[in-house]
Amino acid sequence: IHEMWCAEGEMDEKHRRLSELIKVGGKNLMRRKEALLERADCFVSLPGGVGTFDELCEVVCEKQLGMNPRVCVLLNIDGYYDGFLQQMKRMQKDKILYVPTEKLILTATTAEEALELCVKHHAENQNLKINTDENMKAVEKKKKTEEKEKEEGQTGGNGEKIEINEKEDVVRAAIEARAQSLKLQALDTAGRRAILLEIAKTLAANKNEILEVNKEDIKAAQSMKMSKSMRKRLVMDAKKIENLCKGITQIANDEDPIGQLVSATELSKKLILHQKTVPIGVLLIIFESRPDCLPQIA
């Protein structure tokens, strides 16, 4: 709560019934919203005025961008939020909103129903976190077991079998990739170009080390009885690294595809909807195991 609503810095009678009251200052409500977004486990929007809609839209916007996975529930008493939900559907129909409304907001008509939705979805999020943490511990344990067997000259088969929840591992990686992609999307053309050029420069500078490691990979593939055709695809040489660097540099120097006007549609008088190219986001790409294929995909 903003300190302006606490008379002379003290809590009034209704505030005293709270188990905890967090007061924030500032010339506007930004710090209050930041505290709300940082501390809340879930969000319930009761019927309210413009301040409520301000906070609600902030939560929904972050949820749409993948920055906030927590549940958001509208307490839609007597159809108070029907108009807002209709507007959300209109935005989706006009292709201004790209995430279905039901994936951003849940609705309830009673306080009990709203709390049930919060408890259910908060528990699901906690289970995901717990499963992901356990999965990472299992991966680390497996890694240590393999290292120990290697030191003892073992070929495997005697170590403890560890079950790894690959699904949760993929989910964790996807969430992290999404978070990092938002940072990349915020960069300007010069920033993105600088990163690509630095990647090309680093690859060229570490060419010898890469080739030495690749030799070890080839030896490992041979010991695994990998077919000749598969081993051939794994081979990296100086020419491939050179082409890889050229490909990345070419991508960096190409015209920036972001922000290009694709089409313009007049929705009503003096209201024109522009369709522009934007960062594509996070893609799951399954490609052949060739070290030099990434710039070809790009």
Side-chain angles (χ1 to χ4, degrees), residues 53 56 74 76-91 101 105 107:
F53 278 92
L56 171 61
L74 293 184
N76 194 22
I77 298 175
D78 294 332
Y80 183 84
Y81 282 110
D82 285 352
F84 177 78
L85 294 170
Q86 189 63 34
Q87 182 61 43
M88 294 284 287
K89 292 180 180 178
R90 171 65 188 272
M91 287 189 287
T101 304
I105 303 173
T107 59

Side-chain angles (χ1 to χ4, degrees), residues 11 28 36-37 67 74 79 106 112 126 139 153 181 204 230 233 253 258 264:
M11 298 184 293
N28 51 44
L36 180 116
L37 290 165
M67 301 168 68
L74 293 184
L106 302 178
E112 291 78 11
Q126 288 299 102
V139 171
S181 74
M230 288 296 291
R233 306 180 78 83
N253 293 327
I258 297 175

Side-chain angles (χ1 to χ4, degrees), residues 111-139:
E112 291 78 11
E113 184 184 358
L115 288 175
E116 287 177 3
L117 289 171
C118 289
V119 171
K120 176 185 175 183
H121 287 270
H122 179 61
E124 290 176 354
N125 286 340
Q126 288 299 102
N127 287 335
L128 174 60
K129 181 180 185 300
I130 292 171
N131 290 339
T132 301
D133 290 343
E134 290 178 349
N135 185 47
M136 292 304 296
K137 291 178 181 178
V139 171

Side-chain angles (χ1 to χ4, degrees), residues 1 11 15-23 39:
I1 187 172
M11 298 184 293
H15 292 150
R16 290 193 181 95
R17 291 180 291 169
L18 299 174
S19 58
E20 182 182 10
L21 180 67
I22 301 170
K23 292 187 290 184
R39 293 172 175 267

Side-chain angles (χ1 to χ4, degrees), residues 255-263 274-278:
E255 181 181 359
D256 193 346
I258 297 175
Q260 301 296 323
L261 181 64
V262 177
S263 64
H274 289 145
Q275 181 183 4
K276 292 186 177 182
T277 55
V278 297

